[in-house]
Amino acid sequence: MIYDNRAEVRKVLIITLLLNLFVMGLKALVGYWTGSLSLLADALHSVTDSANNVLGLIASKFSSPQPDREHPYGHSKFEAVGALGIASFLGIACFEILQGAIERILKGSEPVKISPPELWLLLIVLGVNIFVAFYERSVGRRVGSSILIADATHTMSDIWVTISVIGGLIGVWLGYQWMDLVLAFPVALLVFWSGWSVLKENLPWLVDQMAIAPEVIHAIATSVPGVINCHAIASRGVLGRQVFIEMHLIVDAPDVETAHQITEEVESRLEQRFRPVRILIHVEPPAYKSEQISFETEAK
């Protein structure tokens, strides 16, 4: 079973792109009015939000799960590549924030000025960010989209960044000018952590890390009547997005038709548990012997 979620993913990305452009403009405007380094850094973070949406739209266009001649396993990894692009944008944003903070420490700057109306505008920004993050995460989990989940993770970091910035600007409003500069550093760390989370989540897909423990697949396969044993089990992909399973199946079958019926039942049970999944089974006769469930690391 192959599920193509790209139309819904594109719809969500277009909506969030428009909202992120609004947020970016509002932050940049208030940051310019007040001279706040932390808020301008936050606006830079929002630039990456919009860039991520554009990157996601491009990745989604090319990430069809349907196989073709050049891509017999589909194109879903383009989504993971897009998510890695998001991680790269977050790394750049972290560097820019730290660079601006260090320059302000070394060279000094004009005092930050903030007023209650400007704080209220930032609360509107915070509300939009919260809506975008939960909206993207909800749809991403429902349709199994890595690009939406990665972008929602990015936006969640934006929420904490904005909360920190608002807290610092309230401190500035109360007369503590140093709070704006000090908060620029934890903002940068939050941005970096978001990028690391996105990288950690998508790298296993790109390097074909095991998706399902072979013992679990073995237990499901051998529970089917007629299956004697299975071995050389391999899996890759990401659960909930797309999984590929391969195995050798030893069956007790007098003819090809019976063997086919047994493998169909194995495939059906695996699909019920791990869909969407594509399964390849190599059938072997009852006399075949092997105890190697999966592939072991070779001794060095």
Side-chain angles (χ1 to χ4, degrees):
M1 176 181 176
I2 300 176
Y3 173 55
D4 192 345
N5 61 15
R6 290 180 298 157
E8 192 158 7
V9 169
R10 283 196 292 268
K11 173 186 169 184
V12 173
L13 286 173
I14 290 171
I15 292 172
T16 54
L17 172 60
L18 295 175
L19 291 173
N20 283 329
L21 288 172
F22 168 75
V23 164
M24 177 187 68
L26 205 53
K27 286 179 182 178
L29 187 61
V30 177
Y32 176 76
W33 284 343
T34 62
S36 167
L37 174 65
S38 61
L39 185 53
L40 289 173
D42 196 13
L44 176 63
H45 190 202
S46 293
V47 170
T48 66
D49 285 333
S50 302
N52 294 341
N53 295 144
V54 174
L55 180 63
L57 287 167
I58 295 171
S60 177
K61 178 178 176 60
F62 294 103
S63 64
S64 170
Q66 303 294 340
D68 58 29
R69 180 180 174 86
E70 287 76 27
H71 304 87
Y73 294 98
H75 310 72
S76 296
K77 283 187 179 181
F78 278 103
E79 271 214 5
V81 173
L84 293 185
I86 290 177
S88 300
F89 276 122
L90 288 167
I92 293 170
C94 175
F95 173 78
E96 292 291 338
I97 294 169
L98 290 175
Q99 183 183 49
I102 292 171
E103 284 182 357
R104 182 165 289 192
I105 290 173
L106 296 176
K107 299 179 181 179
S109 63
E110 293 294 323
V112 176
K113 299 176 181 179
I114 189 74
S115 65
E118 290 162 344
L119 288 173
W120 279 109
L121 287 175
L122 293 180
L123 289 175
I124 294 173
V125 165
L126 181 60
V128 173
N129 281 340
I130 291 172
F131 169 78
V132 168
F134 283 93
Y135 174 53
E136 279 194 302
R137 177 176 291 179
S138 174
V139 177
R141 286 177 174 173
R142 177 166 57 82
V143 304
S145 169
S146 61
I147 202 76
L148 288 184
I149 294 172
D151 202 37
T153 301
H154 184 188
T155 306
M156 283 299 297
S157 75
D158 213 17
I159 290 171
W160 292 111
V161 168
T162 303
I163 290 173
S164 299
V165 169
I166 291 173
L169 291 176
I170 290 173
V172 168
W173 182 46
L174 295 174
Y176 302 101
Q177 283 287 329
W178 53 269
M179 287 190 68
D180 179 63
L181 180 58
V182 168
L183 282 171
F185 289 95
V187 165
L189 292 177
L190 284 169
V191 172
F192 175 81
W193 179 254
S194 296
W196 170 248
S197 298
V198 170
L199 179 64
K200 185 171 63 173
E201 183 177 344
N202 286 277
L203 197 57
W205 197 2
L206 291 173
V207 299
D208 289 335
Q209 183 174 313
M210 176 189 71
I212 306 163
E215 293 79 11
V216 174
I217 297 173
H218 182 273
I220 293 172
T222 54
S223 69
V224 174
V227 174
I228 298 174
N229 201 356
C230 63
H231 61 100
I233 299 170
S235 66
R236 62 187 179 87
V238 176
L239 285 172
R241 301 184 198 171
Q242 180 68 62
V243 175
F244 299 89
I245 298 175
E246 300 173 8
M247 70 174 74
H248 288 211
L249 198 67
I250 304 172
V251 298
D252 184 10
D255 51 51
V256 173
E257 184 177 353
T258 304
H260 175 71
Q261 291 173 352
I262 293 171
T263 59
E264 287 282 299
E265 179 61 24
V266 172
E267 290 179 358
S268 176
R269 295 191 185 189
L270 290 170
E271 284 179 358
Q272 289 175 10
R273 180 77 177 272
F274 304 116
R275 66 164 60 108
V277 59
R278 286 171 60 185
I279 305 164
L280 177 64
I281 298 177
H282 175 78
V283 177
E284 293 173 331
Y288 192 92
K289 302 292 182 182
S290 178
E291 299 300 326
Q292 187 179 14
I293 292 178
S294 187
F295 302 94
E296 303 297 330
T297 303
E298 295 181 0
K300 294 182 179 180

